[in-house]
């Protein structure tokens, strides 16, 4: 049997992030910001909101979509994941899902 390996599609981690955690994110000058929280998702159940900022995943700093994608790919299938989230001037540690 021959197995052909290929890289994940460029958007795989972002789609996984949306499907598993219920978050749509974007990058701005300050880092990663939650753009949308899907109804009835793990993120909605713990009341994450658009405008909240993701700053860490599993203790690693997340400051760009590239770093987010890399960290999600490193942890595919490993759940729950611990996130540091900032809302205004307050930080929170949350686990999803």
């Amino acid at each position: 049997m021959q197995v052909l390996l290929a890289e994940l599609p460029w958007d795989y981690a972002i789609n996984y992030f949306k499907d598993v955690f219920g978050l749509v994110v974007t990058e701005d000058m300050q880092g990663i910001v939650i753009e949308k929280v899907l109804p009835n998702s793990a993120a909605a159940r713990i009341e994450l909101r658009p405008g909240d900022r993701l700053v860490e995943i599993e203790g690693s700093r997340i400051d760009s979509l590239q770093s987010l994608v890399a960290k999600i790919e490193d942890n595919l299938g490993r759940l729950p994941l611990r996130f540091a989230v900032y809302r205004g001037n307050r930080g929170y540690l949350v686990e999803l899902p």
Side-chain angles (χ1 to χ4, degrees), residues 4-20:
L4 179 62
L5 299 177
E7 286 188 33
L8 292 172
W10 68 269
D11 61 347
Y12 184 85
I14 295 296
N15 288 329
Y16 176 88
F17 197 68
K18 181 176 80 174
D19 294 343
V20 172

Side-chain angles (χ1 to χ4, degrees), residues 21-97:
F21 303 113
L23 292 170
V24 176
V25 297
T26 190
E27 181 179 352
D28 67 11
M29 297 288 285
Q30 298 173 348
I32 301 299
V33 63
I34 296 174
E35 188 173 282
K36 182 177 182 181
V37 178
L38 300 181
N40 303 313
S41 66
R45 284 190 292 281
I46 64 167
E47 299 180 4
L48 291 180
R49 301 178 194 160
D52 290 348
R53 295 194 166 276
L54 296 178
V55 295
E56 288 183 4
I57 297 177
E58 289 298 310
S60 295
R61 181 107 175 116
I62 303 298
D63 56 7
S64 67
L65 283 176
Q66 183 178 0
S67 62
L68 173 76
V69 166
K71 196 62 181 174
I72 293 300
E73 287 178 352
D74 287 347
N75 287 283
L76 283 176
R78 184 172 164 234
L79 299 173
L81 292 182
R82 188 181 36 173
F83 296 85
V85 178
Y86 273 87
R87 178 179 296 155
N89 294 334
R90 300 188 88 159
Y92 302 91
L93 287 176
V94 299
E95 285 191 353
L96 292 170

